[in-house]
Amino acid sequence: MKEKDAKGTVENAKQADLAHNKSDGTDQFMTTAQGLKVNDDNNSLKAGDRGPSLLEDFILREKITHFDHERIPERIVHARGSAAHGYFQPNAEAAKYSKAGFLQDPNSTTPVFVRFSTVAGFRGSTDMARDVRGFAVKFYTQEGNFDLVGNNIPIFFIQDAAKFPDLVHAVKPEPHHEMPQAASAHDTFWDFISLMPESMHMIMWAMSDRAIPRSYRMMEGFGVHTFRLINEKNESSFVKFHWKPKLGTHAVVWDEAVKISGNDPDFHRRDLWEAIDGGIFPEWELGVQVIPEADEHKFDFDLLDPTKIVPEELVPVTIIGKMVLNRNPDNFFAETEQVAFHPGHIVPGIDFTNDPLLQGRLFSYTDTQLSRLGSPNFHEIPINRTIAPMHNHQRDGHMRQEINVGRVSYHPNSLGGGCPYQAKIAEGGFASFNERIDAKKVRERSESFADHFSQAKLFYESQTAVEQDHIINALRFELSKVEVPAIRERMLGLLSQVDQKLAESVALVLGIPVPKSPEKPMNHGVGADHVGKQEPKPIVKYAQTSDALSMIKNKLNSGTIESRMVAFLCADGVDATSVNKMKDALTKEGAVVKIIGTNSTAIKTADGKELKVDHNILTVSSVLFDAVFIPSGKQSIDALKDQEKIPEILNDAFKHCKVIGAEKEGIDLLNEVKAINNISEQKLAEHGIITKDANNQNLASDFINAMAQHRFWIREKPLKI
Ligand code: HDD
């Protein structure tokens, strides 16, 4: 009876705890941390109103002390991130491959918390750096938390976790002067890369537009490593996890990325927040490439090598569910900052492989949380708590929240009735996959990891000409920032083994020749004697290219314009019909219209009505929008012609290949863009310039169709190679 009472009290305390954990502080008295009501929060306790402050002022000391300790160390990588809550729902396919409880019932949903991030930049750095994006998903399943801690690129720079600290040291700001922030364009990064041929496949991805996404909502996500799934029959298969975004995969162009960084360094954070806030919930399908256990050695690459993809043309992606993000966090620090992911958080039905990068990660994540969150009790922070019942004999430590009752904190015990019990497999107990390992202890790289160029080539050759130009330009930019000539030369040597023309066109801008290619591709690290000792296998030439690797050819891009942002350039005298007709048509398709006005409040339409302004033209730039529309109204156009920002907005929208629409007098404003004047009237639409005369009623649908094509690359001059 007594014990029951004690339990009841603990339950009550837990509930009170929960109530305390979430508070908006409204309608309540201000108190100290001890609950004492505060009478004056504006003045410290002094000896006389002009006298010195008194040490006795425990209220002041408590407030300042708490403030002094408000920061925790930022993540060593992925410090800059944004997150959201949502749910995951499996489909009927999922249970075939895994016995994980959350994958069994297509009618069930599992809560998730997802954090997107850049890798290299500090917590306050720009969202728009050229960088890999983290894509970490915490599934709060009934069997415990499952974390899928992936990226928006399906492979990685290195093959063994032993090189991770080196990679990160190389890419982070250089240690002597802490520059540059959130950028790989500097000597130490390229020095390291030029000595690590295994990074060449990843370099192709990182220099592509995948590294400058339009939105977190428009990125693919990947588990990167090969994992295992185990089904009810205890059959194991190898899997690669894929997140496929409903809105397709889209990027910005580099010049745009640079300008967004100045205009709105929170671009991705704001985009995610505003979409969810506005009820446009980002959605992904979860897919798996399933490789039966028996096929492990069927491929020309090693499934355990994290620098390799399994081309979707070889093993198609099977969709096993969907994820929807539908709630913004209540508190950035409590949730987004304190969330702790770990690739080792798995549930029965999911298991690891011997990928040496994954194996190293399994150690690193708990270790980092200990220093970042400061205690082995980080699992008790509300965002990290499992929703599964949790009982074990772990006790105490810094900031322990749980009040464990009773005297038994060991196993086996008789005094506590043997509780908590170990679970049999049939009862949901976790047991690692029974893989047979019979090997010598070695520090070696498997020979099967030695081919570093075939998939880099596959990626490069699968891109459209425009995408290849963007890769070349990125390499030109990055390597031009490198100051040591030998690093540039080594990089050209490596690039020539991916594609000779690629290397030559980068070399053209660097002003140096491409070094002579080695007869055999360089598959071992230059000066890196730790890398593979045996002779590499001959390079496998992948016969086909893979459309899935190109963002432009990718079949994910269905042509929706949902959630795309359109700037309407307006001033007093704008034609309300022109505004409303286009706005209604766009809104119907799910696009978001923002009225850009010449003041911050409202403008007057030609018929004397008020039109609310979303943004003052002083605060925007076309890089923050997907398309620009100029409604008609002579007075409005005359006023816009006087605006200093107009040439920049229109020229950038043109340069970045975005759709520009204009109606009647609005067309006059297009004269600001010289290049438009050089396009014949019949060819305007082909170039994504949508205008109309008074009789043509198709402006809105033409504009929408053009937006669905995303960009008009025809405007970009092909590179001279
Ligand atoms: Fe890592 C954070 C993804 C290799 C060590 N990693 C971190 C995050 C993501 C990834 C998305 C941010 C999680 C969040 O939002 O809080 N990491 C990857 C992927 C990798 C990878 C996809 C390769 C396939 N990572 C990797 C290696 C190591 C680490 C090889 C160390 C051996 N990663 C860490 C870390 C971080 C981290 C230092 C920093 C903050 C954290 O863990 O919680 O432990």
Side-chain angles (χ1 to χ4, degrees), residues 593-669:
V593 169
K594 296 286 179 194
I595 303 294
I596 311 303
T598 43
N599 67 46
S600 312
T601 316
I603 50 174
K604 279 230 155 61
T605 58
D607 54 3
K609 298 218 173 79
E610 226 176 52
L611 180 66
K612 193 182 153 302
V613 166
D614 294 302
H615 300 292
N616 190 319
I617 195 164
L618 292 178
T619 66
V620 297
S621 165
S622 71
V623 295
L624 304 176
F625 298 91
D626 296 291
V628 175
F629 177 61
I630 313 164
S632 58
K634 181 163 183 335
Q635 194 197 336
S636 168
I637 300 304
D638 287 344
L640 288 173
K641 279 182 187 162
D642 284 341
Q643 288 289 325
E644 223 176 280
K645 275 260 185 169
I646 286 290
E648 177 205 314
I649 290 177
L650 293 177
N651 278 293
D652 271 358
F654 186 83
K655 182 174 175 193
H656 302 144
C657 306
K658 292 175 182 174
V659 178
I660 303 174
E663 188 163 12
K664 294 184 199 160
E665 299 88 355
I667 298 170
D668 287 353
L669 212 57

Side-chain angles (χ1 to χ4, degrees), residues 75-76 78 115 150-151 164 224-225 341 361 364-365 369:
R75 289 167 175 82
I76 168 74
H78 297 267
R115 184 173 181 272
N151 282 338
F164 190 69
V224 181
H225 314 281
F341 291 94
R361 293 179 75 193
S364 181
Y365 287 71
Q369 309 311 346

Side-chain angles (χ1 to χ4, degrees), residues 270-302:
R270 194 180 312 284
D271 167 273
L272 182 67
W273 182 276
E274 286 184 353
I276 294 174
D277 210 36
I280 306 170
F281 299 144
E283 193 173 324
W284 286 260
E285 286 183 317
L286 178 62
V288 282
Q289 285 177 292
V290 183
I291 298 134
E293 178 89 17
D295 291 350
E296 179 178 0
H297 300 293
K298 193 174 131 183
F299 303 96
D300 295 321
F301 49 87
D302 195 326

Side-chain angles (χ1 to χ4, degrees), residues 340-468:
F341 291 94
H342 190 334
H345 292 165
I346 52 169
V347 289
I350 300 174
D351 214 327
F352 315 120
T353 59
N354 299 327
D355 171 342
L357 192 69
L358 173 59
Q359 295 283 318
R361 293 179 75 193
L362 296 180
F363 161 73
S364 181
Y365 287 71
T366 312
D367 188 39
T368 207
Q369 309 311 346
L370 292 177
S371 71
R372 191 170 76 80
L373 299 169
S375 142
N377 291 315
F378 63 83
H379 63 281
E380 293 192 324
I381 296 172
I383 195 67
N384 294 324
R385 279 187 204 160
T386 169
I387 59 166
M390 199 205 83
H391 308 285
N392 59 37
H393 296 301
Q394 292 163 25
R395 290 290 186 273
D396 310 343
H398 277 294
M399 306 309 283
R400 181 69 170 182
Q401 308 283 304
E402 192 175 351
I403 304 172
N404 297 105
V405 293
R407 60 172 167 162
V408 174
S409 55
Y410 51 89
H411 175 89
N413 68 69
S414 68
L415 295 182
C419 297
Y421 310 119
Q422 298 176 106
K424 297 194 176 76
I425 292 177
E427 293 166 329
F430 177 79
S432 293
F433 180 72
N434 236 325
E435 186 182 357
R436 190 187 161 83
I437 310 258
D438 181 9
K440 284 193 184 128
K441 242 190 243 179
V442 289
R443 277 189 198 276
E444 269 176 22
R445 193 81 50 104
S446 167
E447 186 200 343
S448 55
F449 280 33
D451 166 18
H452 305 319
F453 293 96
S454 300
Q455 289 209 353
K457 219 181 230 309
L458 170 72
F459 180 80
Y460 186 70
E461 287 175 5
S462 299
Q463 307 302 306
T464 60
V466 169
E467 289 168 306
Q468 287 186 345

